[in-house]
Amino acid sequence: MKQNLRVSLGAVVLALATMTALVYAWINFRQREIYEIPDDGVAWLDTTTGAQAWKVTPNSPAARAGIRAEDILVAINDVPVHSQVQVTKRLWRAGLWSQVRYKLTRNGREFETPLITMPAEKPASIENYERVVGLLYLFIGLFIFIRRWNAPRAIHFYVFCLVSFVLFSFHYSGKLDAFDYEIYWAKIASLMLAPALLFHFALVFPERAEGAAKSFSKLALVYGPPSFLILFHVGVALNALGFVPWLGSRILLDKIEYSYLAIYFLATALVFYKSFREAPSGVLRQQLKWLTFGTLAGTAPFGLMYVIPFVLDAVPPVWTKFSALSLVLIPLCFGYAIIRYRLMDVDIIFKRGLAYTAATAAIASIYFALIALIAEITHLQTTGPVGGMIAIVIAAFLFQPFREWIQARLDRFFYRDRLDYRRTLIEFGRTLTNEVRFDPMLGSVMDRISQTLLVDRLAIFMEDPLQPGQLRLARSMGVRLSEPMDLSFLEPARPEFARGALFFESPRAARDVSDSVRQTLEQLDLNYFVPCRIRERTVAVLGLGKTVDGDFLSSDDVELVQTIAGYVAVALDNAQLYNSLEQKALEIARLKDFSENIVESLNVGVLAVDLGGIVESWNTRMEQLFNVPRHEAVGHQLRALLPEELALEIAARRDEEQITGIYKQRLHHQGKVLTMNVSITPLVSKSGERIGRLLLFDDVTQRERMEEQMSQTEKLTSLGLLAAGVAHEVNTPLAVISNYIQMLAKQMPEGDPRQGIIEKIVKQTFRASEIVNNLLNFSRTSATELADLDVNRVVEETLSLVAHPLKTSQIQVVKQLGSTLPAVRGSANKLQQVFLNLFLNARDAMPSGGMLEVRTATHNGSVEVEVVDTGAGIPREHIHRIFDPFFTTKASGRGTGLGLSVSYGIIKEHAGKIDVRSTPGKGTSFHVEFPAVRKAVHV
């Protein structure tokens, strides 16, 4: 009872204060509009010597009378003057447009000058703008107070709006009567209270629970400085505590008070910003975002462009007065937060008031337009009662349609999808159909529900894929979980779900639930659980808490949520199907890529043609074989892409039902000679129906060449074995001949002329035997035995083997063998093979004869052998391939392409190096290098 009486009494007091403020504001407005203050254009400053001119306004009466700054005013109309207050009173008594005589002193000299008073300049435009700002504050505060006077902090906010109305609407006129003094002190009090009230509102919004001691310290922090400033101001005005009421004191007070206003507003913006960063819900964050933006954007320009220059004694330009325009952003942003995000829930009455006001203004305009139109038509100065009645009837008929049209426009502008359920459902449908992925769709659903119903605690529960039949928390907003949850109370078979929704007024008051379920409900802090059903199957459960104002949802809201739950069920089912299809599509794409990679990685050309011979597939190897890009092959006839002879062979096997092939088909294509094996396979579908042909092209050109070379190698091997056998057989008769000729030489007397002939026979016999032994050693395939070798000896033995072929080819051999070569560790047989290959290659390079130079030398611990011929040389494009196996530039049957490759391997086996330099048309030089054997050092 006492509480209700106190609230009612407070409401009456606020209503009386509001009426008083409105009446005072109106009277003050009329007084400022009508009353003119006589002014001389000088700002007088009280000093010890009297009233001193502080500033003289250009083109003012004082400026035209010759008065300058720092002049001392002695008397007005021969009446002594000692302070600026006496100057004001004398000007009041003189009145407007009156001539007064000023007696002044300047630099100790006294003089007198007349001037005519004129009305003081009034900043009417700025003051009227501030009055509009004040009316905005009062308008917002009144609607909050009327709509939700019992809401938390509603009275606090209304007091702030009322004080702000006084701050921006009261402007003392300078008449200095009792009413003017009341206006002045009311403005001073509102200047002190408005920032403090807003700062206090920022500290307690949204509702915060705190102890009494902390609350009292907060109040002292907020209201202590303005209380001190009010006492200080009163002390200056009453000349108490040594304060003197002069212009300097007033300027100092203005600096302090404006600094206080800017600091408090900035602190308020920072507190709002801190609350915005810590706010858990989306709607509350949006409210605080606009409160922060409005406070900061409204205060910053005023503080930076006016307060700071004023405090620092800078002379601000005239345009800085318009920085006060930014102050309107504070009530406008508060209003937007009220309209857009239901700050204190005053949006409905606010919107209806705007609708009726706009409709009334529109109808009034139509009424007066009709009156003017009727007068124009009838050519009368007035329309008379008939015309007036016609205009009234037409305006009355138009009022309701205009109001409804404006109402619809305002709904669309301010609320969009909040109050119109049909439009909300349409937007939900668009939201759900535009997204088929789980997480983005769930996020869109929760954001849309939060904005529509102003619910800041939401959750969606879905079936756990790891535990079929049990639910899990899929997505939440504003829900904080710290312990495992027991969601058994969301069993789809509950009868409450069949009726539409499960409702818990309070988790503690929940009946027939276990302790773990009650603990889960306390953690979730949700009141409504709505099933999302499709085809009698629950795919999810939607959980909602109270609104941001702490109210339960209305029956219309619950009905809307149930409808939305059906949409969500369909969307979730579609998302699951889409996710399944997406996984299958990804698997198919992966298998397709894998298969294509296999086909592309084959070293065999693969193509597929349909029954009409149109190419359906063409892999990279086919591009390389026939130099036809894939995009030019696919979709074209196969016969137009292949050489004619091959296309005819393939066409002849078109009707074959079995796998057929074309073996070693020789082709002449784009200047190349290819040998191709082609395999042709019928291409059938899963049902066994023939749909085309699959062709495999294998280029066996290199393989065929290798087979020919291997055959040639086998022939050479056989020939080598035959030569070894022949050499072995020849060696026996040579030995017999050598023995008998030596015996014959011993039987001949000395001085016999035939003795020289016998010696030549013995010598040639030994030479033939040596050639045969070297041939046997070269063809022998025994295991490699390394020994210290004399490279010069190996070279000499090899040259002796090829002496006859070189001589018959008219090749002159020039030897430059070093005399003191160190030994080389290696196999004499293999090194002889290396040199033999080099000498024979040199012979083949000089078919018309030439010169072969063989040089040996030692250099930097290595033995170097250089073989130089004057043959045709090696083409530049072949110089890097001469050591490749089976590569040869000789005519067919003249070489195997293995000589230099084998020689290269032997040289590397001996840790040596080989280098070639060739100039086409001049000759070739092979440089071979082997590491020398290091001699042991005996210490």
Side-chain angles (χ1 to χ4, degrees):
M1 184 67 180
K2 292 182 179 180
Q3 177 70 17
N4 292 336
L5 179 61
R6 185 163 60 250
V7 171
S8 300
L9 183 60
V12 171
V13 171
L14 285 177
L16 291 175
T18 303
M19 291 300 298
T20 303
L22 286 170
V23 172
Y24 269 54
W26 173 254
I27 296 174
N28 176 242
F29 171 70
R30 294 297 300 165
Q31 190 179 63
R32 285 287 289 168
E33 188 179 39
I34 297 172
Y35 193 74
E36 300 288 353
I37 304 173
D39 185 40
D40 57 3
V42 181
W44 298 101
L45 187 66
D46 291 339
T47 63
T48 56
T49 58
Q52 185 180 28
W54 181 43
K55 290 182 180 179
V56 179
T57 305
N59 297 323
S60 63
R64 289 192 290 269
I67 299 176
R68 303 177 186 173
E70 298 184 358
D71 288 349
I72 305 297
L73 182 59
V74 178
I76 298 176
N77 292 335
D78 298 327
V79 176
V81 173
H82 303 289
S83 66
Q84 55 97 8
V85 176
Q86 293 178 351
V87 175
T88 303
K89 289 181 178 181
R90 290 298 173 189
L91 291 177
W92 274 105
R93 291 179 183 177
L96 288 172
W97 308 111
S98 301
Q99 184 176 15
V100 293
R101 289 179 290 104
Y102 277 24
K103 183 180 292 185
L104 305 101
T105 61
R106 181 184 300 164
N107 298 328
R109 295 172 55 190
E110 192 173 284
F111 65 96
E112 187 174 311
T113 181
L115 60 82
I116 297 176
T117 61
M118 62 181 297
E121 182 181 358
K122 292 189 293 186
S125 58
I126 295 297
E127 289 182 2
N128 291 334
Y129 176 79
E130 291 179 355
R131 288 188 179 95
V132 172
V133 175
L135 286 172
L136 282 174
Y137 273 113
L138 186 61
F139 181 72
I140 294 169
L142 277 173
F143 273 105
I144 290 176
F145 188 67
I146 293 171
R147 176 66 178 169
R148 292 292 302 275
W149 61 270
N150 58 345
R153 305 299 170 186
I155 295 178
H156 184 155
F157 185 75
Y158 176 69
V159 172
F160 162 70
C161 291
L162 181 60
V163 171
S164 298
F165 168 73
V166 173
L167 173 62
F168 289 105
S169 300
F170 283 21
H171 301 278
Y172 71 94
S173 62
K175 192 175 181 181
L176 301 181
D177 56 4
F179 180 77
D180 211 26
Y181 275 111
E182 291 173 1
I183 292 293
Y184 174 79
W185 285 109
K187 186 175 181 67
I188 294 299
S190 63
L191 177 62
M192 298 298 105
L193 284 177
L197 287 169
L198 184 60
F199 187 33
H200 186 196
F201 179 78
L203 290 173
V204 298
F205 179 83
E207 192 70 19
R208 293 182 172 91
E210 53 188 17
K214 187 175 181 180
S215 178
F216 178 79
S217 62
K218 187 181 293 184
L219 289 174
L221 174 66
V222 173
Y223 293 102
S227 301
F228 173 77
L229 286 177
I230 289 177
L231 293 176
F232 182 65
H233 205 111
V234 172
V236 173
L238 298 178
N239 200 15
L241 301 176
F243 294 120
V244 178
W246 64 301
L247 183 60
S249 301
R250 176 184 169 184
I251 294 172
L252 178 61
L253 276 174
D254 287 344
K255 290 180 180 180
I256 295 173
E257 289 165 356
Y258 279 118
S259 300
Y260 151 78
L261 182 142
I263 291 171
Y264 261 52
F265 272 130
L266 179 60
T268 300
L270 294 176
V271 172
F272 276 140
Y273 179 73
K274 181 176 180 295
S275 302
F276 163 74
R277 293 294 300 272
E278 298 173 352
S281 70
V283 176
L284 183 60
R285 284 176 63 86
Q286 293 295 332
Q287 293 173 350
L288 289 167
K289 179 182 76 173
W290 282 98
L291 296 181
T292 304
F293 171 78
T295 307
L296 189 60
T299 308
F302 179 69
L304 293 175
M305 291 189 291
Y306 186 82
V307 175
I308 293 178
F310 178 71
V311 171
L312 298 178
D313 291 328
V315 179
V318 177
W319 60 266
T320 57
K321 294 180 181 179
F322 294 97
S323 61
L325 297 176
S326 64
L327 296 173
V328 76
L329 293 176
I330 300 176
L332 284 180
C333 290
F334 272 66
Y336 184 81
I338 289 168
I339 296 167
R340 185 69 177 84
Y341 300 103
R342 291 188 180 182
L343 180 67
M344 296 188 175
D345 199 19
V346 299
D347 52 347
I348 298 175
I349 189 171
F350 183 83
K351 183 206 65 170
R352 289 177 181 172
L354 282 181
Y356 276 100
T357 301
T360 302
I363 293 302
S365 301
I366 292 173
Y367 171 77
F368 288 113
L370 288 172
I371 292 292
L373 181 61
I374 292 171
E376 183 68 23
I377 293 173
T378 58
H379 300 284
L380 296 175
Q381 189 171 1
T382 59
T383 61
V386 177
M389 287 298 296
I390 294 173
I392 291 172
V393 170
I394 294 174
F397 273 109
L398 291 176
F399 179 78
Q400 186 64 19
F402 260 88
R403 190 197 67 79
E404 292 177 354
W405 183 82
I406 293 172
Q407 187 90 46
R409 301 286 81 73
L410 289 174
D411 284 348
R412 182 176 300 174
F413 178 77
F414 287 130
Y415 307 115
R416 293 180 174 92
D417 57 357
R418 294 182 184 174
L419 301 179
D420 190 344
Y421 282 0
R422 182 182 62 83
R423 192 157 59 243
T424 299
L425 293 177
I426 292 173
E427 291 297 329
F428 261 98
R430 291 174 180 172
T431 300
L432 295 176
T433 55
N434 287 337
E435 188 59 68
V436 292
R437 293 172 296 172
F438 269 113
D439 288 340
M441 185 193 65
L442 294 179
S444 300
V445 167
M446 300 188 74
D447 290 340
R448 181 71 63 177
I449 294 176
S450 176
Q451 293 181 13
T452 302
L453 301 176
L454 292 179
V455 176
D456 57 358
R457 291 191 307 280
L458 290 166
I460 294 180
F461 304 91
M462 297 180 59
E463 186 177 12
D464 192 345
L466 301 178
Q467 298 177 341
Q470 297 186 12
L471 297 180
R472 63 179 178 88
L473 180 62
R475 189 79 178 240
S476 65
M477 175 188 291
V479 176
R480 298 181 180 178
L481 302 175
S482 58
E483 298 179 5
M485 297 184 297
D486 182 3
L487 300 177
S488 59
F489 68 97
L490 295 179
E491 176 64 34
R494 289 187 69 114
E496 293 90 344
F497 284 160
R499 291 192 292 269
L502 175 62
F503 173 70
F504 292 101
E505 184 176 356
S506 173
R508 296 182 180 180
R511 295 179 298 176
D512 302 329
V513 297
S514 63
D515 292 338
S516 60
V517 170
R518 183 174 286 103
Q519 186 176 3
T520 299
L521 290 172
E522 290 179 356
Q523 284 191 77
L524 294 173
D525 196 17
L526 301 175
N527 305 94
Y528 301 88
F529 296 91
V530 182
C532 303
R533 292 174 175 266
I534 181 173
R535 296 186 292 273
E536 301 303 323
R537 181 171 62 91
T538 301
V539 297
V541 175
L542 183 62
L544 301 91
K546 297 179 182 179
T547 66
V548 292
D549 296 327
D551 298 332
F552 289 108
L553 299 180
S554 65
S555 58
D556 290 337
D557 292 339
V558 175
E559 183 179 354
L560 175 63
V561 173
Q562 291 174 356
T563 306
I564 291 172
Y567 286 8
V568 173
V570 174
L572 290 176
D573 192 55
N574 291 339
Q576 289 176 345
L577 292 175
Y578 175 81
N579 189 49
S580 176
L581 291 175
E582 187 178 36
Q583 293 297 326
K584 291 181 179 179
L586 290 174
E587 182 67 18
I588 292 173
R590 189 186 67 81
L591 292 175
K592 179 176 178 293
D593 291 341
F594 185 70
S595 301
E596 289 180 353
N597 290 336
I598 292 175
V599 173
E600 292 297 325
S601 301
L602 291 174
N603 197 31
V604 176
V606 180
L607 71 86
V609 294
D610 60 11
L611 295 177
I614 302 299
V615 176
E616 299 286 347
S617 175
W618 186 275
N619 75 340
T620 303
R621 182 58 178 162
M622 290 296 295
E623 294 181 346
Q624 297 171 353
L625 289 175
F626 298 101
N627 198 25
V628 178
R630 182 184 286 109
H631 68 275
E632 294 181 6
V634 175
H636 294 79
Q637 284 286 342
L638 179 62
R639 62 175 178 268
L641 304 173
L642 301 180
E644 183 178 0
E645 61 271 24
L646 180 59
L648 292 174
E649 289 288 339
I650 294 173
R653 294 165 173 78
R654 177 185 303 172
D655 299 326
E656 295 286 342
E657 298 291 337
Q658 303 296 326
I659 299 176
T660 61
I662 302 173
Y663 183 69
K664 289 190 176 181
Q665 174 75 33
R666 292 191 178 274
L667 305 174
H668 296 271
H669 183 64
Q670 296 184 351
K672 296 187 296 183
V673 179
L674 301 176
T675 303
M676 198 79 66
N677 288 344
V678 183
S679 176
I680 306 172
T681 305
L683 187 63
V684 296
S685 63
K686 290 183 178 179
S687 60
E689 181 184 1
R690 183 176 178 182
I691 59 175
R693 290 176 296 165
L694 183 66
L695 289 83
L696 304 180
F697 292 78
D698 188 10
D699 182 9
V700 297
T701 306
Q702 189 71 16
R703 189 190 312 167
E704 184 182 38
R705 189 176 302 161
M706 291 176 63
E707 290 175 353
E708 292 177 356
Q709 291 171 350
M710 291 298 296
S711 176
Q712 183 70 15
T713 302
E714 290 177 359
K715 292 179 181 178
L716 291 176
T717 302
S718 299
L719 183 61
L721 293 175
L722 178 62
V726 170
H728 182 74
E729 293 298 328
V730 170
N731 204 24
T732 301
L734 284 176
V736 173
I737 293 172
S738 177
N739 289 332
Y740 280 108
I741 198 66
Q742 289 181 30
M743 292 172 60
L744 184 61
K746 290 180 181 179
Q747 294 176 2
M748 286 183 179
E750 292 183 1
D752 192 327
R754 293 174 297 177
Q755 188 74 30
I757 298 173
I758 291 175
E759 289 179 358
K760 289 182 180 181
I761 294 173
V762 170
K763 185 176 179 181
Q764 294 301 320
T765 303
F766 276 109
R767 185 171 180 274
S769 178
E770 185 179 1
I771 292 173
V772 170
N773 287 331
N774 287 338
L775 185 61
L776 285 173
N777 290 334
F778 178 73
S779 62
R780 190 175 293 122
T781 56
S782 59
T784 302
E785 296 181 1
L786 301 180
D788 292 347
L789 304 174
D790 182 3
V791 172
N792 285 342
R793 181 178 179 183
V794 175
V795 170
E796 290 280 9
E797 291 177 352
T798 308
L799 284 173
S800 68
L801 286 175
V802 296
H804 180 71
L806 294 176
K807 184 176 181 181
T808 58
S809 298
Q810 298 180 356
I811 296 174
Q812 180 184 358
V813 179
V814 178
K815 296 186 290 184
Q816 297 180 9
L817 306 182
S819 56
T820 57
L821 292 182
V824 171
R825 189 74 174 172
S827 169
N829 194 22
K830 289 189 175 183
L831 292 184
Q832 191 178 57
Q833 185 176 354
V834 170
F835 297 137
L836 181 63
N837 285 328
L838 294 177
F839 297 157
L840 292 177
N841 284 343
R843 181 202 66 179
D844 294 340
M846 297 180 289
S848 301
M851 183 174 65
L852 173 66
E853 292 186 61
V854 182
R855 308 187 190 99
T856 61
T858 179
H859 181 70
N860 291 336
S862 299
V863 174
E864 299 177 349
V865 180
E866 188 173 9
V867 179
V868 183
D869 64 61
T870 58
I874 302 173
R876 185 180 303 273
E877 61 270 16
H878 295 159
I879 197 73
H880 298 293
R881 300 185 58 193
I882 59 175
F883 296 110
D884 294 344
F886 304 106
F887 177 80
T888 180
T889 59
K890 300 177 183 179
S892 178
R894 294 294 304 276
T896 64
L898 293 174
L900 286 177
S901 175
V902 172
S903 299
Y904 182 84
I906 294 173
I907 292 170
K908 289 298 180 183
E909 183 181 348
H910 286 71
K913 302 177 184 178
I914 184 170
D915 185 25
V916 59
R917 296 182 181 87
S918 180
T919 303
K922 294 186 177 180
T924 303
S925 169
F926 283 90
H927 182 86
V928 183
E929 181 180 335
F930 299 103
V933 176
R934 296 182 180 180
K935 296 181 180 180
V937 179
H938 300 282
V939 181

